[in-house]
Amino acid sequence: MIIGVPKEIKTDEYRVSVTPAGAAELIKEGHTLYVQNGAGEGSGFSDAEYEKAGAVLLSDAAELFRSADMIVKVKEPIPSEYGLFKEKQILFTYLHLAADRVQTEFLLEKKIRAFSYETLEVNGNLPLLEPMSEVAGKMASLMGSVHLGKYHGGSGLLAGGVVGTHKAKVMILGGGVAGKAAAEVAAGLGADVTIVDINMERLHYLNDVMPSNVATLYSSHQTIKDLLPHCDIVVGTVLIHGAKTPKLITKEMLCLMKKGSVLVDVSIDQGGCFETSHPTTHTHPTFIKEGIVHYCVSNMPGAYPHTSTYALTNATLKYVKALARYGAQNVCKEVPVMISSLNTYDGVLYNKAVGDAHGISSKTFV
């Protein structure tokens, strides 16, 4: 199969979907790999490294898309890339379709055979989302702490405090991979941390493994309202597989918070778990509403592309190999977990959660 690795062009995105080592493995299995010039530079990989691995370098994105049977990306296609795709092309990347009707309609109209990283499920886990969730979770507490700085519009409180002063109070919505990572970093900074979640089994686990400055509470609307007036940072990490994220903090609830507090919406790719959230970029990461600083960068791991690219490609390569080996027509039969990754195929939607989000009919793969 001919596999195309384009340069990511989303604002402030520096990751790449295949490392030179991964390129060598795909080529060893008999596939042809086209890599756009400069695709790996942001992650620390030179064009020469891809050439040494056996990849063919192309300067023109249009030629790469035209030549490839499968496009492997990191982030979802943006509108300026839509015209580059050809009908019935395979696409493997993060899609987050529940929060993006325009992209969903494009993939259906173009009959793209689209598989997403974030919905691929193995034994109840999301192995292609988890590495980036961990990066984003660790970043969330760091960015929340930085943006408490007065020069960012924050309250001026140092997260861990110093002797004789107050520490920041941090609430983390969701105790999954991202929530756990956020709690570890916030606790490490010295803040007082509370994780809220509705999964009691997960809360028991977190209670056992977290340090003493991390508490756990069962999540409810009232629990969140009761905690908000005391919080300096709130990190939203809620995830419903493939679906749009519920709004756990409404615009009206912002008045409960202290001015200069910070909301970090890790869930923004799936629509965000704060009603007042909208996507931001690393260049302009925050905005202020009702006196509350909002950090809603939609590709948080892109800030640390060297770490993120390795973490992502360590997880995705085996599935890239499967798609290349069996093709979109047979991969779901040969590798059944790929059924959960399938979102659109030849104009048909195969993700019910996305269909429910947009009022589009979907089918079940058989």
Side-chain angles (χ1 to χ4, degrees):
M1 181 178 284
I2 301 175
I3 303 166
V5 177
K7 184 175 182 178
E8 299 293 327
I9 60 172
K10 182 169 182 170
T11 302
D12 298 334
E13 181 54 68
Y14 300 104
R15 289 171 288 178
V16 64
S17 61
V18 178
T19 63
E25 290 195 35
L26 289 165
I27 292 163
K28 185 178 179 180
E29 293 196 0
H31 307 296
T32 298
L33 196 73
Y34 290 158
V35 177
Q36 189 175 354
N37 287 90
E41 286 180 357
S43 296
F45 306 122
S46 67
D47 288 347
E49 289 177 86
Y50 285 103
E51 283 189 306
K52 185 177 179 180
V56 177
L57 292 174
L58 294 176
S59 59
D60 183 26
E63 183 182 358
L64 183 145
F65 276 80
R66 186 169 58 249
S67 303
D69 304 307
M70 174 168 65
I71 298 295
V72 183
K73 287 177 46 52
V74 175
K75 292 302 291 179
E76 72 283 350
I78 61 176
S80 63
E81 294 176 298
Y82 290 176
L84 300 176
F85 284 87
K86 58 187 180 183
E87 194 169 283
K88 299 188 177 182
Q89 199 162 34
I90 302 170
L91 171 64
F92 195 29
T93 189
Y94 286 118
L95 293 172
H96 300 292
L97 295 183
D100 192 342
R101 185 183 181 94
V102 172
Q103 185 196 175
T104 303
E105 291 176 343
F106 156 70
L107 295 174
L108 291 171
E109 290 170 6
K110 198 75 173 185
K111 299 183 179 178
I112 301 299
R113 298 169 178 183
F115 295 79
S116 74
Y117 295 156
E118 76 275 5
T119 62
L120 190 143
E121 185 174 342
V122 180
N123 298 324
N125 298 316
L126 302 173
L128 306 191
L129 184 62
E130 288 171 2
M132 297 303 93
S133 294
E134 186 174 7
V135 173
K138 290 189 174 189
M139 282 185 63
S141 291
L142 293 174
M143 295 299 108
S145 299
V146 166
H147 287 90
L148 273 179
K150 197 69 176 178
Y151 55 93
H152 285 305
S155 62
L157 181 70
L158 182 64
V162 295
V163 175
T165 70
H166 292 292
K167 300 177 180 181
K169 294 189 181 297
V170 180
M171 175 167 57
I172 297 172
L173 304 175
V177 173
K180 179 175 179 288
E184 289 170 342
V185 170
L189 291 171
D192 290 326
V193 184
T194 301
I195 304 173
V196 298
D197 200 296
I198 59 173
N199 184 330
M200 285 301 298
E201 183 179 353
R202 183 67 176 178
L203 288 177
H204 277 292
Y205 164 74
L206 292 169
N207 198 61
D208 288 340
V209 301
M210 285 286 130
S212 59
N213 56 333
V214 178
T216 57
L217 280 176
Y218 185 80
S219 182
S220 69
H221 180 68
Q222 190 60 49
T223 297
I224 295 170
K225 284 185 69 175
D226 289 345
L227 288 174
L228 276 179
H230 309 286
C231 290
D232 301 291
I233 301 172
V234 180
V235 178
T237 71
V238 177
L239 174 70
I240 299 176
H241 293 195
K244 200 166 186 178
T245 309
K247 308 298 184 187
L248 298 187
I249 295 179
T250 65
K251 181 179 180 181
E252 289 71 26
M253 292 166 72
L254 295 186
C255 68
L256 300 174
M257 301 182 69
K258 294 178 284 187
K259 301 301 182 185
S261 300
V262 180
L263 295 177
V264 182
D265 202 337
V266 177
S267 305
I268 191 65
D269 274 332
Q270 291 291 127
C273 57
F274 311 135
E275 186 181 12
T276 46
S277 292
H278 63 72
T280 60
T281 65
H282 291 292
T283 304
H284 302 288
T286 63
F287 59 90
I288 298 175
K289 281 202 173 182
E290 308 296 332
I292 308 302
V293 180
H294 291 60
Y295 180 99
C296 308
V297 176
S298 59
N299 62 328
M300 290 177 67
Y304 299 94
H306 191 73
T307 297
S308 298
T309 289
Y310 273 114
L312 177 62
T313 58
N314 287 345
T316 58
L317 184 61
K318 65 183 289 187
Y319 301 104
V320 175
K321 287 181 177 180
L323 270 168
R325 184 180 304 124
Y326 300 115
Q329 302 93 325
N330 300 311
V331 72
C332 290
K333 294 177 182 178
E334 298 293 338
V335 186
V337 296
M338 291 299 291
I339 295 172
S340 59
S341 179
L342 178 63
N343 276 232
T344 68
Y345 188 100
D346 291 2
V348 178
L349 181 66
Y350 283 92
N351 186 310
K352 185 178 185 300
V354 174
D356 291 344
H358 300 309
I360 300 172
S361 62
S362 62
K363 288 186 177 181
T364 301
F365 181 87
V366 291

